Amino acid sequence: MPGRKLLKAVVLLSTLLTLTACQPIRPETEASHAGVRTLPHRPYSAKYDGIFVQTVEEVLNEGRSLLHVSYPVTEHEAVNLRMEGLAQSFIEDYRATAAAMEVSYQERSKEDSKEALSFVTRFSQSFEVKAANEEIILFSVERMMNAGGAETVEVDGFIFDRRSGAELAVPDLFADSHYLERLSELSRRELWKRTVLRLTEQSFASDSDRMEALEKSVRWIEEGTAPAAEFFDNILFQTDGTLLVKFDEDQVGSGEDGPVEVALSIGAFSDLLRPEFHQLLSPQLDDAEGAQEIALAGAAETPAAVTVTGPSEDEIDCSVVACVALTFDDGPSIYTESLLDILLSFNVKATFFVLGKSARIQPDTVLRMHREGHQVENHSWNHSNMTTLSDDVIRDQIERTNALIKQITGQESTLFRPPYGAYNEHLLAVTNMPFILWSVDPRDWRDRNAGIVVARVATAPAGAIILAHDIFRSTVDAMPTILSALQSRGVQFVSINKLLEPHIPISGHTYWRQSNPPTD
Ligand code: ZN
């Protein structure tokens, strides 16, 4: 928000002028910086004993270059040296910028004195005590740099051991190295969520282009957030109870929009903090308690809260009325949320055969499937042809996906749909789950046309298992027409488990449709 920044600069300037007017100027030793003043220490605040504010101001070039720097002074010389050194390098940057800007000003003022007025330099640095006790102190330092109207703002965090004066790094906050895994997992979750949103809004030539872009972004994020200290070396504590994790440009995506940051709840780390930090941050931890549950457990701790909307499936008897099971493969995708909206508005229950790799980046969507009464089942981790894989890889594909579904929904996946419908006796034996195939295939993956999909599904007979894919817009677009066409024939949409009742699917067996549907 450039307007706000400008306002800030103006406020700063007026503050500075007021100070110039009423404070005595201390003599400066260097003649070339005659405008420098170092103001006397003043206490930071009544809340924090023993912390003082040191302010330095400098006016150069007849007021075209202004500097205002505040930095903390504490009882510890080591802390002071570090913060003073930081301020000093900022002052040097300011002087270099001011000198360059002044050259431009002098040149331009010969031609256009009005335009020359924009060649000004405004640098300011302020700090805040984010938290402090006898053992530890956390500062944030904000620097604003404006050269000729182009403004940048930087905020950095500094942590010191108050007893030794030693500067602490992020790893020092935590009791063990698990914090890296936590940072990695929570950062990924947040960045993936953003990526899905961004790619939903962006236009692509085709769904496969979009999916390709998503996969590329997902991989980039995954690499840039691997649980290693080097990827999480810039973290700031904020007073709102969050940790601001800052990534370098290009670390988690192409740097078109500059460096990326995510704010994570401190509460999500409370079990990993060293005791002295736990105590120091306890006000923030209390505030963040609610957030912690969500952040830590995903949904695994709250699976009981299943919100089934509309009449439950228990009231439907598929041996009396015509039922079909709608199944959606290969998701979740950016279209799945709108599909869920449609299913909700028609009060239709479906079964989703999800890919582990996609469930991982859209866990909220998978949780919504579950909460809205749909069945969430396994379609492998990454859609490999399972008949070509070794037994170990087969088990990995199955178990990783099952574990993730359990983690997100709190419920075990009990059914498997083999990618491409490809299976053999060996795969059935190794997988050790019931295989759900289908009896109606609209080939929506080939014909990306809602009208064609409608025509092929709307005539589905009682007992059918209908195959569809929630990764295509055309399929989702076809759904309202399909649902109302079948519902107007009195057909009930049910989950796979309901359709196959009273049978409970058995491992190693295949299921294509309801075995004994009622006839009209
Ligand atoms: Zn598939």
Side-chain angles (χ1 to χ4, degrees):
M1 272 189 275
R4 215 176 109 205
K5 283 174 184 165
L6 183 65
L7 179 68
K8 201 167 164 188
V10 170
V11 169
L12 179 75
L13 178 59
S14 58
T15 312
L16 202 54
L17 294 174
T18 318
L19 288 172
T20 312
C22 42
Q23 299 272 341
I25 296 175
R26 258 169 53 160
E28 172 53 36
T29 45
E30 259 180 275
S32 61
H33 301 121
V36 165
R37 332 186 279 141
T38 303
L39 304 175
H41 292 181
R42 58 180 173 81
Y44 176 73
S45 85
K47 192 176 162 196
Y48 297 112
D49 233 10
I51 302 169
F52 296 87
V53 183
Q54 178 67 65
T55 301
V56 177
E57 295 171 351
E58 183 168 271
V59 182
L60 295 174
N61 307 317
E62 298 158 324
R64 286 182 293 277
S65 311
L66 300 177
L67 169 82
H68 182 98
V69 173
S70 294
Y71 60 93
V73 176
T74 72
E75 67 286 345
H76 230 294
E77 199 48 32
V79 177
N80 300 347
L81 279 174
R82 171 76 170 115
M83 300 316 285
E84 206 181 297
L86 196 79
Q88 197 53 47
S89 72
F90 185 68
I91 293 170
E92 276 153 26
D93 285 351
Y94 154 77
R95 286 176 183 159
T97 306
M101 204 48 65
E102 185 60 11
V103 170
S104 303
Y105 169 81
Q106 295 298 348
E107 277 171 10
R108 190 56 58 94
S109 58
K110 286 172 207 147
E111 298 154 22
D112 183 342
S113 59
K114 203 174 166 201
E115 201 195 319
L117 291 176
S118 66
F119 289 93
V120 295
T121 306
R122 304 279 180 266
F123 272 43
S124 75
Q125 175 186 295
S126 60
F127 78 92
E128 255 184 83
V129 178
K130 290 293 184 181
N133 58 18
E134 286 90 60
E135 293 163 339
I136 291 151
I137 187 161
L138 308 179
F139 294 114
S140 75
V141 174
E142 181 176 324
R143 296 190 204 92
M144 189 279 289
M145 293 142 285
N146 188 324
E151 183 177 287
T152 49
V153 176
E154 280 175 13
V155 183
D156 287 299
F158 298 87
I159 308 161
F160 294 97
D161 184 320
R162 236 176 153 174
R163 294 154 299 187
S164 66
E167 186 170 358
L168 302 177
V170 168
D172 301 319
L173 308 189
F174 299 100
D176 65 40
S177 62
H178 291 300
Y179 77 96
L180 284 169
E181 281 140 45
R182 187 79 51 85
L183 279 172
S184 163
E185 191 196 330
L186 296 178
S187 303
R188 277 178 192 173
R189 213 181 276 181
E190 177 57 30
L191 293 169
W192 281 336
K193 193 187 276 181
R194 286 185 204 174
T195 302
V196 170
L197 277 176
R198 180 170 54 82
L199 295 180
T200 304
E201 280 157 18
Q202 211 169 312
S203 65
F204 286 89
S206 71
D207 286 342
S208 38
D209 284 359
R210 192 192 304 273
M211 273 188 276
E212 212 170 280
L214 179 63
E215 288 198 359
K216 194 177 153 217
S217 300
V218 163
R219 273 198 304 276
W220 200 328
I221 290 166
E222 192 164 38
E223 280 162 25
T225 58
E230 63 190 287
F231 293 131
F232 294 97
D233 56 356
N234 194 354
I235 300 178
L236 180 72
F237 285 90
Q238 304 191 109
T239 41
D240 64 354
T242 57
L243 286 179
L244 190 67
V245 182
K246 306 209 282 180
F247 298 102
D248 299 339
E249 211 157 308
D250 294 328
Q251 185 177 339
V252 290
S254 70
E256 288 160 22
D257 307 318
V260 174
E261 51 191 45
V262 296
L264 305 174
S265 162
I266 291 174
F269 297 87
S270 65
D271 58 325
L272 302 177
L273 288 171
R274 264 168 49 191
E276 58 266 46
F277 281 102
H278 201 282
Q279 188 244 325
L280 177 65
L281 298 170
S282 55
Q284 284 96 332
L285 293 174
D286 289 344
D287 291 346
E289 225 167 75
Q292 178 191 9
E293 269 174 41
I294 299 160
L296 264 187
E301 302 306 319
T302 53
V306 179
T307 344
V308 181
T309 39
S312 90
E313 283 191 344
D314 298 344
E315 294 159 31
I316 302 168
D317 184 349
C318 293
S319 67
V320 178
V321 297
C323 295
V324 297
L326 254 183
T327 64
F328 295 97
D329 288 12
D330 299 4
S333 82
I334 63 156
Y335 302 121
T336 308
E337 290 284 337
S338 48
L339 172 62
L340 287 168
D341 292 342
I342 294 167
L343 297 177
L344 192 63
S345 69
F346 281 85
N347 187 31
V348 159
K349 303 295 177 264
T351 302
F352 288 88
F353 289 96
V354 300
L355 295 177
K357 66 166 190 176
S358 304
R360 187 178 57 149
I361 59 173
Q362 286 183 252
D364 296 345
T365 307
V366 175
L367 180 59
R368 185 181 163 195
M369 292 170 183
H370 173 70
R371 290 203 162 144
E372 295 185 354
H374 305 293
Q375 214 175 314
V376 181
E377 302 293 351
N378 189 329
H379 192 40
S380 83
W381 183 265
N382 63 6
H383 214 269
S384 303
N385 181 341
M386 306 280 280
T387 61
T388 65
L389 305 178
S390 74
D391 292 3
D392 283 347
V393 178
I394 291 171
R395 286 191 202 99
D396 183 60
Q397 289 264 342
I398 299 290
E399 283 159 20
R400 272 175 84 191
T401 307
N402 279 348
L404 182 65
I405 292 172
K406 174 80 198 279
Q407 191 201 332
I408 296 169
T409 67
Q411 191 145 328
E412 299 278 355
S413 161
T414 55
L415 306 175
F416 180 65
R417 172 168 284 166
Y420 313 102
Y423 71 95
N424 54 30
E425 289 304 319
H426 182 71
L427 181 66
L428 276 168
V430 176
T431 303
N432 200 30
M433 290 177 84
F435 280 30
I436 305 298
L437 285 304
W438 56 85
S439 60
V440 171
D441 178 3
R443 292 185 293 284
D444 61 334
W445 50 271
R446 201 185 59 196
D447 300 306
R448 309 282 176 83
N449 178 308
I452 293 176
V453 175
V454 168
R456 287 174 181 160
V457 175
T459 54
I465 296 177
I466 300 166
L467 172 67
H469 296 85
D470 54 325
I471 53 170
F472 305 126
R473 178 184 290 280
S474 45
T475 300
V476 175
D477 287 347
M479 279 305 140
T481 317
I482 289 172
L483 298 178
S484 53
L486 283 158
Q487 279 184 338
S488 69
R489 280 173 42 203
V491 173
Q492 295 281 345
F493 291 92
V494 296
S495 65
I496 289 287
N497 281 350
K498 180 74 193 175
L499 187 80
L500 298 180
E501 273 178 4
H503 304 288
I504 293 166
I506 300 165
S507 296
H509 288 243
T510 57
Y511 299 84
W512 300 81
R513 63 177 71 77
Q514 186 182 359
S515 59
N516 237 335
T519 46
D520 314 303

